[in-house]
Amino acid sequence: MLLAGGQGSRLYALTRDIAKPAVPFGGKYRIIDFPLSNCVNSGIDTVGVLTQYQPLQLNEYIGNGQPWDLDRVHGGVYVLPPYQKSSNSDWYTGTANAIYQNINFISRYDPEYVVILSGDHIYKMDYSKMLEFHKEKKADCTIAVMEVPWEEAPRFGIMACDEDHKIFEFAEKPKQPKSNLASMGIYIFSWDKLRKYLEEDEANPDSENDFGKNVIPAMLANNERMYAYAYQGYWKDVGTIDSLWEANMDLLNPNVPLDLYDDSWKIYARNPVMPPQYVADGAVTRDAMISEGCIVEGEVDFSILFPGVIMEKGAVVHDSIVMPGSVIKAGAVVEYSIIAENVVIGENARIGCRPENVEDKENWGVTVIAKGIHIGKNANIPAKAMIEQDVLEVGSDDE
Amino acid sequence: MMSKTLGIVFSNMHDATMGKITENRTMGSVPFGGRYRLIDFVLSNLINSGIQDVGIITKSNFQSLMDHLGTGKEWDLSRKKGGLTILPPYGRHEATYYRGRLEALGSIYSYIRESKAELVVMTDCDNIASVDYADVIRYHREHDADVTVIYKNKPITKSIHRDVITISMDENKRVNGALVNPESTSGNVLLNMTVISKRLLEKIISDATSANFYSFTQGILQNSNQRLKIYGYEFKNYVADIKSLQSYYDCSMDLLNPEIRRQIFPADRPVYTKVRDEVSVKYGINAKAKNSMIADGCVIEGVVENSLIFRGVKIGRGAVVKNSIIMQGAVIGENSTLDCVVTDKDVMIRDSRTLVGCKEYPLYIEKGTAV
């Protein structure tokens, strides 16, 4: 069960009209491709995707599941929005409530175990190994954890475990963390137990119907068998502009252990129907990822261009992400920015700024241009700006 | 209208002129344009013209073609009605290994007869262009033609001077003659794309079987142009005419021209192909690329100039690839130099090798070779 209904409000303009899991990532993917591909590669062939916030693009993207080999005769991928019931119809009020409202869906498959995932993390993980661990420990609930730097621990759900990996304490965003084992938002439950706790949680009017805040603490309080499954490898929550930018840039870093070229664990995506990219005479493509359909006449350095991006002569993109179909016109300079889909950056415009060129270092940040925005000629968009409306052309340079 | 049209693709025609490239594959499965096979352009033309019922005639070496096409879903040809049908030889008990186009059609006679189509579009895989058959069919109907053949007026260079057929027409574009491999240096060259009514095609096939002739050119274009109303439809845009390794090389290099690219890949008429789930191209810190087409899944650490790089190619540090076509899955070792080379699939060039052909005689490296 893949939780994909969140708004992703900390991605601001990027999730104005698409759900966070549908945000483009890493050249030709969307965030949801990672958990979906992990499922398929782990041998999970029935996946429910719970949607709520701005689901149109996500629905269209998932379609019949064919790109992930999830167009199955038995099982496959199902998009599960909230729906009307004979009594009390409601939006999904929390992560646990979303699963609660789909108890009937899950029961149709009569599973022994249910894997709960979130649609906003970038990582590669074999859930079947975690399930083996769950079975071996005869656990009721297994939570995937990883070590995080101590200073970051207060941002996560933190587990305290004994030597057998049994969890004895769980604290959601603790001020004084007792360990640095953070929950990755990946749970395996034995279905009978989960069902019981979901029903109890729903009956409790004070509950926020959230796994981290309510269901997990309730299970712990009742001494259920809860285990922590230690994950080692690359994992990144891409819930903020900075972390989204960083996670993209990580793909260009040879020292980051997220190998997209590993044939045994491919990340699948709905592929664009476009010709190969064309790199013109005079272009610079250094330390970059560039996708199909791009036409590069300018300079790309330490950046990611998504499919169908057009860069005219003299355009410069440094340390940036340019999402599908955007056009960077001649002479425009884009630095430390995220350019969303189908944006047009006018001639000689300047977008974003490198940190060393900013006086007020505290207020430096990645610049974001929202989907479909047109930035006029010669316009200057400062660092950390978030542009959600067209910006008009500015008089020419020699004024 | 178009739902009543059947597409028939000859995947093996012209195999013989291509040398080693077609040793283990059909003409239709020859890789072209970075991420395509020739048949992708042919099928996409049919789909983009609304033709959803397509039979592919194969003769030999068609395993790679079948692997590429699968159920046809990537071309949206996995249909309940119609869709993609692969027609291997020996489809009928008495069928033989066909010698000519009409004999090939004879072996799929029942497939054609059972189709509900009114018109049939027949095409080979040697001429690569973005063709709108809807327009050709309109022309066919306007002229009340029995047969419409598509041609292009162009030079006949040495590199395509094999299997070339030119036609002559009267002032109304009615065909009154055809020549095979003419001596002239230019002419109205057939693109081997033909529109014909299904009923007439059936009759021609059964006549050909009983009279024992098998060549469409001879039997129809040359001998029946008085009896049948055969019209020529002039195609004016770019056509890649692939008849030899040399013309394959030249046409591939043509794709580096932006105007030709626009004509081969019009934005509103996409070219579909098999999805391989490759990563975007990754350029290393010392990578340099210019005037090149590079497909997904490549990792470029060296220098690429005036070249076509297919999917999943790795070019090592310090390597220089110029004026070359590197097909899928090749590994070019560090500090190697390739100039005017065509490497077939999965070639491995070890470190510090130098391979040089020339533009008029590119060096071809066979599939799977390690150098």
Side-chain angles (χ1 to χ4, degrees):
Chain A
M1 299 297 280
L2 182 47
L3 298 162
Q7 179 179 354
S9 55
R10 287 171 304 151
L11 288 177
Y12 305 97
L14 293 177
T15 51
R16 195 178 46 181
D17 51 14
I18 54 172
K20 179 156 68 169
V23 169
F25 180 85
K28 56 192 295 187
Y29 308 101
R30 291 179 187 262
I31 295 169
I32 197 168
D33 289 329
F34 287 79
L36 271 185
S37 302
N38 285 339
C39 282
V40 176
N41 290 333
S42 304
I44 299 175
D45 59 9
T46 306
V47 182
V49 179
L50 297 106
T51 62
Q52 174 157 290
Y53 174 79
Q54 293 286 13
L56 284 182
Q57 275 209 16
L58 192 57
N59 289 351
E60 188 193 335
Y61 186 70
I62 294 171
N64 67 350
Q66 185 263 321
W68 305 271
D69 207 15
L70 283 171
D71 53 335
R72 299 292 172 99
V73 174
H74 301 288
V77 65
Y78 294 87
V79 175
L80 302 169
Y83 59 96
Q84 199 177 18
K85 303 161 192 76
S86 54
S87 63
N88 72 314
S89 302
D90 212 341
W91 294 109
Y92 295 149
T93 55
T95 50
N97 174 261
I99 304 294
Y100 171 80
Q101 289 201 40
N102 286 289
I103 282 180
N104 286 340
F105 169 80
I106 300 171
S107 297
R108 284 167 65 92
Y109 296 95
D110 190 25
E112 269 184 79
Y113 308 101
V114 175
V115 184
I116 311 264
L117 305 167
S118 46
D120 45 9
H121 299 148
I122 302 295
Y123 63 106
K124 299 194 341 183
M125 180 173 178
D126 188 345
Y127 305 132
S128 68
K129 289 192 179 142
M130 180 170 165
L131 182 62
E132 269 168 41
F133 175 88
H134 180 86
K135 289 180 185 166
E136 192 185 300
K137 298 290 180 194
K138 296 189 173 59
D140 297 312
C141 168
T142 302
I143 303 174
V145 297
M146 64 182 297
E147 286 187 36
V148 294
W150 279 93
E151 62 275 16
E152 285 184 30
R155 297 202 294 120
F156 294 93
I158 295 295
M159 318 281 156
C161 316
D162 64 18
E163 289 113 44
D164 191 34
H165 306 284
K166 189 159 190 245
I167 302 169
F168 58 82
E169 195 180 290
F170 173 84
E172 185 73 21
K173 301 191 175 125
K175 286 205 178 68
Q176 255 114 41
K178 289 191 180 161
S179 95
N180 63 342
L181 288 178
S183 166
M184 299 162 63
I186 300 163
Y187 310 107
I188 294 181
F189 290 97
S190 298
W191 174 229
D192 293 340
K193 270 283 189 283
L194 176 62
R195 185 180 180 138
K196 171 174 167 286
Y197 276 91
L198 287 175
E199 282 165 355
E200 284 175 18
D201 180 64
E202 196 61 24
N204 175 2
D206 297 329
S207 172
E208 290 177 53
N209 308 123
D210 184 271
F211 276 104
K213 287 178 194 155
N214 309 102
V215 176
I216 304 295
M219 289 181 79
L220 261 182
N222 286 346
N223 279 323
E224 301 290 1
R225 293 177 64 82
M226 317 267 298
Y227 282 85
Y229 173 75
Y231 168 82
Q232 276 166 339
Y234 183 87
W235 177 88
K236 195 137 192 160
D237 182 337
V238 286
T240 64
I241 296 289
D242 286 349
S243 63
L244 180 66
W245 182 85
E246 275 170 33
N248 273 285
M249 293 307 159
D250 281 347
L251 296 176
L252 298 174
N253 182 344
N255 301 321
V256 168
L258 180 69
D259 179 12
L260 295 177
Y261 295 86
D262 177 8
D263 261 353
S264 68
W265 205 270
K266 266 194 180 180
I267 303 300
Y268 300 95
R270 201 169 274 280
N271 279 249
V273 181
M274 286 186 178
Q277 63 191 273
Y278 174 73
V279 181
D281 213 345
V284 175
T285 51
R286 191 188 305 124
D287 219 357
M289 276 179 91
I290 302 178
S291 312
E292 288 115 293
C294 287
I295 297 177
V296 183
E297 297 186 75
E299 176 183 327
V300 190
D301 195 349
F302 204 65
S303 295
I304 297 185
L305 304 188
F306 286 68
V309 169
I310 296 183
M311 278 185 67
E312 295 184 355
K313 275 207 177 86
V316 174
V317 172
H318 281 180
D319 304 271
S320 295
I321 300 159
V322 185
M323 291 184 182
S326 288
V327 179
I328 317 288
K329 299 248 182 189
V333 177
V334 176
E335 292 181 310
Y336 287 86
S337 297
I338 299 178
I339 311 293
E341 293 165 78
N342 301 318
V343 167
V344 178
I345 307 287
E347 277 97 345
N348 301 317
R350 292 195 65 91
I351 315 293
C353 186
R354 41 183 67 242
E356 52 270 34
N357 295 349
V358 176
E359 282 178 27
D360 183 4
K361 296 271 187 280
E362 293 297 300
N363 271 321
W364 178 85
V366 172
T367 305
V368 177
I369 312 290
K371 191 172 167 182
I373 296 298
H374 285 231
I375 304 289
K377 269 189 201 174
N378 305 321
N380 194 341
I381 310 293
K384 214 178 179 179
M386 177 89 55
I387 304 299
E388 295 188 68
Q389 266 165 353
D390 288 358
V391 173
L392 295 178
E393 176 178 337
V394 178
S396 61
D397 287 336
D398 49 20
E399 243 180 11
Chain B
M1 174 186 93
M2 298 309 283
S3 62
K4 292 191 176 164
T5 304
L6 171 68
I8 293 179
V9 177
F10 293 86
S11 68
N12 280 93
M13 289 287 167
H14 320 288
D15 281 9
T17 67
M18 289 291 290
K20 291 269 190 192
I21 293 188
T22 49
E23 192 175 59
N24 285 307
R25 53 167 78 96
T26 66
M27 188 70 184
S29 35
V30 169
F32 186 70
R35 61 192 302 248
Y36 305 98
R37 307 290 185 126
L38 293 179
I39 201 164
D40 292 337
F41 295 87
V42 173
L43 288 179
S44 299
N45 281 340
L46 294 168
I47 312 305
N48 290 331
S49 306
I51 299 169
Q52 300 184 343
D53 197 350
V54 180
I56 297 176
I57 300 183
T58 60
K59 183 178 188 178
S60 53
N61 294 338
F62 50 86
Q63 215 160 34
S64 70
L65 185 76
M66 291 180 70
D67 175 51
H68 180 69
L69 295 172
T71 61
K73 67 176 182 243
E74 268 122 354
W75 298 265
D76 208 18
L77 282 175
S78 177
R79 301 265 71 107
K80 285 211 168 172
K81 284 185 184 164
L84 182 79
T85 311
I86 293 178
L87 303 159
Y90 308 112
R92 280 195 317 181
H93 184 60
E94 70 274 29
T96 48
Y97 208 59
Y98 63 79
R99 289 169 293 176
R101 204 174 291 272
L102 288 177
E103 219 162 53
L105 289 166
S107 69
I108 62 156
Y109 185 64
S110 58
Y111 171 77
I112 295 172
R113 204 183 49 213
E114 280 160 27
S115 161
K116 301 273 189 295
E118 283 171 16
L119 288 177
V120 178
V121 170
M122 297 187 289
T123 166
D124 294 356
C125 297
D126 58 333
N127 281 286
I128 299 307
S130 187
V131 178
D132 184 358
Y133 288 112
D135 198 51
V136 184
I137 288 171
R138 208 173 298 125
Y139 180 91
H140 179 82
R141 294 221 156 106
E142 274 165 20
H143 286 77
D144 194 25
D146 293 317
V147 181
T148 299
V149 290
I150 307 182
Y151 72 92
K152 184 176 171 68
N153 189 285
K154 62 168 189 169
I156 302 168
T157 58
K158 209 175 109 211
S159 68
I160 61 161
H161 198 271
R162 307 171 188 206
D163 275 356
V164 167
I165 298 165
T166 57
I167 51 168
S168 55
M169 291 166 289
D170 66 15
E171 66 277 18
N172 298 317
K173 299 266 184 188
R174 184 162 168 187
V175 176
N176 53 24
L179 291 171
V180 178
N181 295 335
E183 286 305 315
S184 51
T185 51
S186 77
N188 297 319
V189 177
L190 282 194
L191 303 189
N192 299 318
M193 302 169 186
T194 306
V195 177
I196 185 169
S197 83
K198 192 183 87 127
R199 193 174 296 171
L200 176 61
L201 182 64
E202 282 173 24
K203 181 159 186 321
I204 289 172
I205 296 168
S206 53
D207 288 355
T209 313
S210 37
N212 194 26
F213 64 97
Y214 50 82
S215 160
F216 188 81
T217 318
Q218 212 177 18
I220 306 305
L221 295 177
Q222 292 178 330
N223 296 344
S224 304
N225 62 49
Q226 295 300 314
R227 192 167 52 80
L228 296 173
K229 283 186 286 176
I230 305 173
Y231 281 87
Y233 172 97
E234 185 174 11
F235 185 77
K236 296 204 169 93
N237 274 351
Y238 174 81
V239 176
D241 189 345
I242 298 169
K243 293 284 197 310
S244 61
L245 176 64
Q246 184 63 47
S247 67
Y248 172 81
Y249 178 82
D250 295 342
C251 293
S252 296
M253 291 302 157
D254 283 347
L255 295 178
L256 298 177
N257 175 323
E259 183 45 42
I260 288 175
R261 229 172 28 248
R262 264 191 288 278
Q263 292 184 17
I264 289 282
F265 301 107
D268 56 342
R269 299 179 73 81
V271 182
Y272 299 93
T273 187
K274 183 180 178 182
V275 166
R276 277 181 44 95
D277 296 292
E278 296 273 14
V279 189
S280 304
V281 178
K282 197 162 177 180
Y283 292 92
I285 196 130
N286 297 311
K288 285 199 184 78
K290 67 180 200 185
N291 190 36
S292 294
M293 243 175 132
I294 302 174
D296 48 341
C298 291
V299 180
I300 314 286
E301 303 276 357
V303 177
V304 181
E305 270 180 46
N306 310 327
S307 294
L308 278 102
I309 314 292
F310 283 65
R311 297 196 270 200
V313 169
K314 297 195 165 41
I315 297 183
R317 221 167 288 209
V320 178
V321 176
K322 277 187 195 171
N323 309 311
S324 293
I325 300 168
I326 310 295
M327 291 189 205
Q328 189 178 305
V331 178
I332 311 293
E334 293 183 11
N335 303 314
S336 281
T337 301
L338 278 71
D339 191 357
C340 298
V341 175
V342 178
T343 65
D344 207 316
K345 280 176 73 177
D346 302 321
V347 161
M348 157 99 143
I349 310 287
R350 293 187 209 285
D351 294 354
S352 311
R353 297 292 191 272
T354 301
L355 297 168
V356 183
C358 75
K359 285 184 184 170
E360 294 72 35
Y361 201 93
L363 177 63
Y364 171 76
I365 314 272
E366 274 177 67
K367 182 174 172 179
T369 310
V371 177

